[in-house]
Amino acid sequence: SASAYTMPPRQIPLLRQKIDGALKLCGDAELSGYRGKSLLHVLDTYPRDELIEIEVPELARIANGVVGLHERNRVRAFFRDDIYRRYVSVMVFVPRDNYSTDVRIKVEALLLKRIGGDSAEYTVLLGDSPLARIQYLIRRPVGARTDYAAKEIEAEIAELAQRWQDELHKQLVQSNGEELGSSLHQRYVHAFSAAYCADFTPRAALHDIEALERALHSQQLIATLTLGDVLDSSLWRLKLYRHHAIELSDCLPLLESLGLRILDERPYAL
């Protein structure tokens, strides 16, 4: 009935039994403590359809995992197969600052592909928690494969939910060490425009920063040449770096005099 979706779950006998059973399996005798209160909050705010359908051992497993996220603010994904194999329920948690519509859409596309679904539904919970919760139902066609690599999918979701700036910091530290990498990150973290971040990965930005640093220190024009398309060896990408604006009227005639045909140009100001 409609009241099953509006009443607090512990006021509904069936759901109260499930919650009590999950609490016992989680081994939390002291509900007035921090962990006990966290468990109750997770169970009280659990997606209602999921709470109705899920078995108690699985509820305890997922609730325990969600509580652990409060201690480590990171990306997690919890999978549950429908008993009739009609769909897979995936509960995804990402740091709230990392959540965006773009992340939600990309994760949905990944789940459809990796689980073999043909449609998806989702709900989003953005409460006071530092984590955003996205609940997906990935519906599978009759006869679809039932196996999927949950751990691998979770790792891919973590990559998708990584902020561009955070991944840039990771790349800079790996390449330059903690001290220099962090210094470069502070200098460039807000330097790249949204258009640049959409066109290039943080890994590509790492090489651009190296070239930019050379251009700034030498006060000279720096150029790099890379293959523009792995399937077409006639297409190349030329990047020019300079400490001030580059006028197209200055560089295009020179490039054309070398027998090159310019198909596109994309300036990015820092």
Side-chain angles (χ1 to χ4, degrees), residues 1 9 21 41 71 74 85 92 95 108 120 133 157 202 217-218 234 239 241 257-258:
S1 65
H41 176 72
E71 301 165 4
R74 63 192 182 95
R85 305 296 183 184
V92 177
E108 180 179 312
R133 186 187 77 193
I157 291 173
H217 289 135
S218 67
S234 67
K239 287 187 177 182
Y241 309 84
S257 70
L258 296 174

Side-chain angles (χ1 to χ4, degrees), residues 138-193:
I138 307 299
R139 301 196 179 278
R140 298 186 290 195
V142 177
R145 72 178 191 271
T146 58
D147 60 314
Y148 53 87
K151 286 295 182 183
E152 292 180 9
I153 297 173
E154 183 180 61
E156 292 182 62
I157 291 173
E159 290 184 11
L160 290 176
Q162 184 91 341
R163 291 193 308 170
W164 194 94
Q165 292 80 2
D166 293 338
E167 180 63 21
L168 177 63
H169 180 263
K170 176 182 174 182
Q171 294 288 342
L172 286 168
V173 169
Q174 287 181 348
S175 180
N176 300 280
E178 182 69 36
E179 185 175 354
L180 179 57
S182 296
S183 176
L184 288 171
H185 181 256
Q186 289 182 353
R187 188 181 309 169
Y188 287 97
V189 64
H190 300 300
F192 297 105
S193 65

Side-chain angles (χ1 to χ4, degrees), residues 52-78:
I52 292 171
E53 296 190 21
I54 196 170
E55 296 295 329
V56 171
E58 205 159 19
L59 177 61
R61 173 184 67 83
I62 294 176
N64 244 335
V66 175
V67 170
L69 290 176
H70 294 287
E71 301 165 4
R72 295 183 61 193
N73 196 10
R74 63 192 182 95
V75 175
R76 281 298 309 270
F78 300 93

Side-chain angles (χ1 to χ4, degrees), residues 5 38 41 43 59 71 75 106 119 184 196 199 232 244:
Y5 289 88
S38 296
H41 176 72
L43 294 168
L59 177 61
E71 301 165 4
V75 175
K106 287 180 178 178
S119 65
L184 288 171
Y196 178 94
D199 289 341
D232 189 347
H244 58 75

Side-chain angles (χ1 to χ4, degrees), residues 9-266:
R10 280 182 281 166
Q11 292 184 14
I12 301 173
L14 174 64
L15 301 185
R16 183 174 64 250
Q17 290 175 8
K18 283 191 174 184
I19 290 174
D20 290 344
L23 289 171
K24 288 180 181 179
L25 289 178
C26 290
D28 258 68
E30 183 55 64
L31 295 180
S32 60
Y34 172 78
R35 182 171 175 79
K37 289 180 179 178
S38 296
L39 264 174
L40 281 176
H41 176 72
V42 169
L43 294 168
D44 284 342
T45 59
Y46 210 83
R48 189 57 53 94
D49 283 330
E50 280 294 292
L51 193 57
I52 292 171
E53 296 190 21
I54 196 170
E55 296 295 329
V56 171
E58 205 159 19
L59 177 61
R61 173 184 67 83
I62 294 176
N64 244 335
V66 175
V67 170
L69 290 176
H70 294 287
E71 301 165 4
R72 295 183 61 193
N73 196 10
R74 63 192 182 95
V75 175
R76 281 298 309 270
F78 300 93
F79 297 77
R80 183 185 71 82
D81 290 307
D82 170 52
I83 189 173
Y84 300 110
R85 305 296 183 184
R86 297 167 299 179
Y87 62 84
V88 178
S89 169
V90 188
M91 193 181 302
V92 177
F93 290 85
V94 301
R96 183 167 180 157
D97 290 343
N98 293 27
Y99 174 77
S100 66
T101 300
D102 184 55
V103 167
R104 176 184 59 75
I105 292 173
K106 287 180 178 178
V107 172
E108 180 179 312
L110 171 67
L111 292 173
L112 285 169
K113 178 180 178 182
R114 296 298 301 272
I115 294 177
D118 57 2
S119 65
E121 301 173 16
Y122 72 90
T123 57
V124 179
L125 177 64
L126 295 172
D128 297 330
S129 169
L131 294 166
R133 186 187 77 193
I134 320 166
Q135 175 72 30
Y136 294 97
L137 283 184
I138 307 299
R139 301 196 179 278
R140 298 186 290 195
V142 177
R145 72 178 191 271
T146 58
D147 60 314
Y148 53 87
K151 286 295 182 183
E152 292 180 9
I153 297 173
E154 183 180 61
E156 292 182 62
I157 291 173
E159 290 184 11
L160 290 176
Q162 184 91 341
R163 291 193 308 170
W164 194 94
Q165 292 80 2
D166 293 338
E167 180 63 21
L168 177 63
H169 180 263
K170 176 182 174 182
Q171 294 288 342
L172 286 168
V173 169
Q174 287 181 348
S175 180
N176 300 280
E178 182 69 36
E179 185 175 354
L180 179 57
S182 296
S183 176
L184 288 171
H185 181 256
Q186 289 182 353
R187 188 181 309 169
Y188 287 97
V189 64
H190 300 300
F192 297 105
S193 65
Y196 178 94
C197 295
D199 289 341
F200 297 101
T201 65
R203 180 68 180 174
L206 173 66
H207 300 295
D208 288 340
I209 288 174
E210 292 173 353
L212 285 165
E213 286 292 295
R214 295 203 310 271
L216 290 171
H217 289 135
S218 67
Q219 297 290 294
Q220 294 181 349
L221 177 70
I222 300 295
T224 63
L225 188 64
T226 57
L227 188 62
D229 189 338
V230 294
L231 300 178
D232 189 347
S233 59
S234 67
L235 292 177
W236 290 79
R237 177 180 289 120
L238 174 68
K239 287 187 177 182
L240 303 176
Y241 309 84
R242 200 171 185 179
H243 61 285
H244 58 75
I246 300 173
E247 299 293 339
L248 288 178
S249 58
D250 293 337
C251 62
L252 288 183
L254 174 61
L255 294 173
E256 291 174 345
S257 70
L258 296 174
L260 301 176
R261 185 183 177 195
I262 312 302
L263 299 179
D264 188 22
E265 59 87 16
R266 298 182 185 178

